[in-house]
């Protein structure tokens, strides 16, 4: 165990028995125990007592084979004082500091000598022990170490460094012109990484400087920063699923020309992105199909010339699919959800054997063995998502072909048709929560429930035999694995912490005249008769066939997504158990640190108890709240760089009384109301009934607020984003892609939201 400076040191001892109790008890000091706990060491570990012959040094000190502040390996730093080295090690005096530089050729060059204000030295006593003496003025004003002695020390230190293969912290002494090496250990911060290095340590490599990345869609399901363990699990899970599916569908030439670059979701500054062009080129270049995909994912047609040029090059590289793969695509379109119930049942009934092991090593091994068991769910979700997008794209193509152009009518009808799906998983969650809230109001009333502290309300719902308690527990059984940032195993689900739900329920029951909303699926004939695009007989026939499949695709995509989230919840339970075991075994000081390690680091920590691994996890956790605040542009060229939201506050914008912003309409309807700008769920907790939510993006964690709001505005999103899907289910006007809306509008503004024209407008405050 490495515990620098934690044990007591006794100098000039004559006879071990005189100090044996003090020496042995130093391993039990609170500072020592806390050090071991902090770095995952065994708390009740045995202690070796080292007895060395004492050297009554004339000069002594410490040498670093790298700069102790900057870790610059070309600088050798020596600190020195007269007498024993205790004055230097303890910092009781300001020692002389000498620096040498090593050139690329290996030659050592003396650089500088700074005389310290050393005023004392510690020397040996003949009778045993040590004594502190004052230095005379001559000794204070001159270097205690000659240039020649410094060069000899430096040469010797390089031999020690070469032997240990790491930068060294060396304690030394000189007596009668003889150099003594008293101790050598690694420089404790030599391997430490800067905050900038930690921020970018998981960044994905770029194939070329013109590569484009997006947070559209993926930035909504995985908002904010993701923990290192979450990044590794999700990247490997989805990357493997995409690779398998792409190979089966004949896209390997386009997407996987090199095995040295990851596929699927790619992290930058711990935020996940997707490569834009790799997905776009599945539908060709500048085709109605590719445009339909853009509208589905981004809410608009992308027109960046560099992006389109890069996409065109990729399409040329990809070539054409064979007849076999085209036939397979047709088969998948018709039967993509055929085995979905079977896969869902397998995942939901999965035997969590990794929760049965008693040691951390056994649990970790079982968790790794479970990874391949969930591949089928990942592949099915990617397949359902792709087929749903294909059906949506076909519907878009029919509308464009009928209108002979792409205009607002086409877009409006496209959004209208997408909004006809019912019984969608992501919308069922707020409906189910709303049922619980309605029942609570019926059973005990809103005032009584809201007067309860969260702990009391939780206890009542968990133990109550009332219908409220039954529906609450039923909700947890069905949806307890959901939460904010649910693809990150670090996140806490509703099932793990019921108080997260209690706060939402107490907010819901405040709503006056709370009513259950159930959307009925309209008939195809009625929907087609309401479209603005004039449909001929052939187009109507096509849409009668395509529309039901679009609805089927939306439902399958949401069910398969929930199934994948269940896989991550299984892992979440396992890794939280592993974290608890590693804390119990003294390998980690706190459970949460596990999620700031990679799988390889966890394995190494289980085998070595390396304090360096724990220190890195602590550093990552400390930086995580800063990364969490980053917001990235929807599309980035080259390495994605976060937008600086801290410098650009809402106060920096001039207030415009009739400010109007135009975005992408994804759910029709018109409403007026007070705005609530909320960038986090903590801020969303202040939502009042009838307010219009303005935020960066939403995911499942925001769903419970949809029953009480009157409209939704997001800066990020498209037609298939979470906010769009749930808004259409609730009949709420929703506009996405209003970048900057969270800064231009303020909570309390009275606004008009037009979900047909895609407009958000500030209005005069209504008279009280």
């Amino acid at each position: 165990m490495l515990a620098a400076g934690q044990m007591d040191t006794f100098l000039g001892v004559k006879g071990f028995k005189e100090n044996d109790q003090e020496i042995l008890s130093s391993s039990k000091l609170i500072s020592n125990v806390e050090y071991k706990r902090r770095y995952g060491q065994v708390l009740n570990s045995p202690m070796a007592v080292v007895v060395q012959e004492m050297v009554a040094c004339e000069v002594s000190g410490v040498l670093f084979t790298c700069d102790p502040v900057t870790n610059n390996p070309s600088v050798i730093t020596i600190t020195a004082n007269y007498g024993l080295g205790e004055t230097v090690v303890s910092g009781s005096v300001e020692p002389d500091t000498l620096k040498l530089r090593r050139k690329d050729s290996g030659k050592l060059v003396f650089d500088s000598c700074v005389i310290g204000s050393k005023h004392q030295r510690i020397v040996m006593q003949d009778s045993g022990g040590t004594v502190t003496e004052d230095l005379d003025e001559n000794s204070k004003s001159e270097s205690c170490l000659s240039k020649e002695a410094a060069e000899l020390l430096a040469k010797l230190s390089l031999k020690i460094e070469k032997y240990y293969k790491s930068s060294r912290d060396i304690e030394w002494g000189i007596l009668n012109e003889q150099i003594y090496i008293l101790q050598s250990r690694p420089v404790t911060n030599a391997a430490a990484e800067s905050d900038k290095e930690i921020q970018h340590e998981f960044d994905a490599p770029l194939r070329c400087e013109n590569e484009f990345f997006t947070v559209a869609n993926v930035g909504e399901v995985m908002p904010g920063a993701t923990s290192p363990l979450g990044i590794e699990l999700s990247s490997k899970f989805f990357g493997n699923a995409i690779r398998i599916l792409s190979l089966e569908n004949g896209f390997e030439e386009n997407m996987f020309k090199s095995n040295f670059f990851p596929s699927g979701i790619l992290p930058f500054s711990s935020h996940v992105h997707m490569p834009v062009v790799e997905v776009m080129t599945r539908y060709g270049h500048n085709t109605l199909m590719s445009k339909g995909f853009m509208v589905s994912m981004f809410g608009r047609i992308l027109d960046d010339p560099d992006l389109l040029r890069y996409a065109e090059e990729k399409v040329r590289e990809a070539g054409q699919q064979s007849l076999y793969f085209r036939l397979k695509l047709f088969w998948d379109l018709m039967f993509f959800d055929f085995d979905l119930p079977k896969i869902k049942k397998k995942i939901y009934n999965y035997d969590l054997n990794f929760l049965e092991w008693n040691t951390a090593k056994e649990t970790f091994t079982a968790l790794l063995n479970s990874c391949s068991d969930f591949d089928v769910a990942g592949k099915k979700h990617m397949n359902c998502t792709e087929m749903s997008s294909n059906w949506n794209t076909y519907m878009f193509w029919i509308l464009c072909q009928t209108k002979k152009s792409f205009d607002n009518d086409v877009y409006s009808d496209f959004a209208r048709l997408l909004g006809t799906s019912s019984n969608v998983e992501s919308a069922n969650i707020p409906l189910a929560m709303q049922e619980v809230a309605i029942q609570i109001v019926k059973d005990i009333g809103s005032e009584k429930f809201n007067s309860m502290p969260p702990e009391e309300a939780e206890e009542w719902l968990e133990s109550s035999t009332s219908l409220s308690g039954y529906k609450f527990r039923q909700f947890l059984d069905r949806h307890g694995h959901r939460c904010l940032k649910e693809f990150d195993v670090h996140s806490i689900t509703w099932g793990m912490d019921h108080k997260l739900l209690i706060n939402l329920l107490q907010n819901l029951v405040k709503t006056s005249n709370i009513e259950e909303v159930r959307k009925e699926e309209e008939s195809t004939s009625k929907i087609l008769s309401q479209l603005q695009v004039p449909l001929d007989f052939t187009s109507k026939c096509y849409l009668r066939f395509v529309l039901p499949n679009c609805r089927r695709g939306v439902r399958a995509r949401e069910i398969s997504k929930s199934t994948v989230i269940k896989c991550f919840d299984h892992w979440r339970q396992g890794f939280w158990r592993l974290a608890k075991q590693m804390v119990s075994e003294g390998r980690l000081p706190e459970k949460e640190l596990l999620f700031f390690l990679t799988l390889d680091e966890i394995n190494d920590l289980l085998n070595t108890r390396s304090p360096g691994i724990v220190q890195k996890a602590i550093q990552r956790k400390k930086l995580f709240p800063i990364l969490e605040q980053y917001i990235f542009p929807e599309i980035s060229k080259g390495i994605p760089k976060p937008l600086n939201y801290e410098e650009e506050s809402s106060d920096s914008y001039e207030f415009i009384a009739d400010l109007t912003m135009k975005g992408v309409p994804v759910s029709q309807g018109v409403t007026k109301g007070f705005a609530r700008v909320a960038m986090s769920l903590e801020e969303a907790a202040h939502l009042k009934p009838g307010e219009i939510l303005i935020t960066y993006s939403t995911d499942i964690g925001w769903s419970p607020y949809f029953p009480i709001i009157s409209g939704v505005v997001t800066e990020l999103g498209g037609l298939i984003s979470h906010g769009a899907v749930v808004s259409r289910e609730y009949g709420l006007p929703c506009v996405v892609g209003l970048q900057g809306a969270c800064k231009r509008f303020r909570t309390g503004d009275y606004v008009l939201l037009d979900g047909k024209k895609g407009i958000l407008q500030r209005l005069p405050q209504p008279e009280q």
Side-chain angles (χ1 to χ4, degrees), residues 180-415:
Y180 292 85
I181 300 299
L182 308 176
Q183 178 177 283
S184 171
R185 60 171 174 254
V187 178
T188 53
N189 67 333
E193 296 175 277
S194 67
D195 285 351
K196 186 172 183 179
E197 289 173 315
I198 291 293
Q199 174 183 337
H200 296 289
E201 64 177 329
F202 299 112
D203 284 7
L206 271 63
R207 292 177 175 86
C208 66
E209 62 183 9
N210 292 327
E211 198 160 7
F212 289 82
F213 300 95
T214 182
V215 292
N217 189 262
V218 69
E220 295 172 273
V221 296
M222 299 183 71
T226 302
S227 69
L229 183 58
I231 287 174
E232 183 169 18
L233 289 174
S234 57
S235 297
K236 289 181 175 178
F237 179 85
F238 288 111
N240 190 47
I242 292 174
R243 180 178 293 273
I244 294 172
L245 197 61
S246 296
L247 290 173
E248 291 180 355
N249 293 338
F251 290 111
E252 70 274 15
E253 285 300 318
N254 182 25
M255 297 190 68
F256 307 111
K257 298 191 74 170
S258 172
N259 292 325
F260 298 101
F261 296 95
S263 59
I265 59 174
L266 309 174
F268 294 95
S269 297
S270 295
H271 288 245
V272 294
H273 294 68
M274 283 197 308
V276 180
V277 174
E278 283 185 356
V279 184
M280 283 175 53
T281 50
R282 291 170 178 252
Y283 302 95
H285 169 67
N286 199 29
T287 64
L288 280 176
M289 295 290 285
S290 65
K291 291 178 180 179
F293 168 77
M294 293 182 203
V295 171
S296 293
M297 185 165 183
F298 299 99
R300 68 187 191 282
I301 294 177
L302 304 179
D303 56 2
D304 185 297
D306 291 338
L307 172 62
L308 297 179
R309 191 180 305 113
Y310 183 49
E312 185 178 8
E313 293 173 359
K314 280 291 185 181
V315 169
R316 285 201 301 266
E317 293 175 10
Q320 297 294 320
Q321 284 184 295
S322 66
L323 177 62
Y324 167 78
F325 288 118
R326 293 184 182 183
L327 291 174
K328 187 178 184 304
L329 173 61
F330 176 77
W331 177 270
D332 285 344
L333 282 168
M334 302 308 299
F335 303 105
F336 65 91
D337 59 345
F338 181 74
D339 56 348
L340 183 56
K342 179 181 177 181
I343 293 173
K344 179 181 178 181
K345 182 178 180 181
K346 173 187 175 182
I347 298 301
Y348 275 71
N349 296 329
Y350 185 79
D351 179 19
L352 305 184
N353 59 73
F354 43 71
L355 299 180
E356 300 172 358
W357 298 100
N358 296 321
T359 68
K361 284 188 177 181
E362 292 172 330
T363 300
F364 183 62
T365 301
L367 277 167
L368 294 181
N369 291 337
S370 72
C371 291
S372 59
D373 296 340
F374 300 146
D375 282 348
V376 62
K379 175 186 169 184
K380 176 51 61 178
H381 175 56
M382 300 310 298
N383 183 235
C384 288
T385 299
E386 183 176 5
M387 294 305 109
S388 176
S389 295
N390 283 338
W391 281 116
N392 291 343
T393 303
Y394 297 147
M395 187 165 63
F396 175 83
W397 179 83
I398 293 169
L399 292 173
C400 286
Q401 286 290 90
T402 303
K403 193 69 184 291
K404 306 300 182 184
S405 65
F406 174 71
D407 56 19
N408 288 336
D409 288 345
V410 171
Y411 195 94
S412 178
D413 285 351
F414 189 34

Side-chain angles (χ1 to χ4, degrees), residues 17-28:
K17 290 185 179 180
E18 296 178 10
N19 304 90
D20 58 352
Q21 292 302 318
E22 291 182 79
I23 294 171
L24 294 174
S25 64
S26 68
S27 67
K28 307 297 183 183

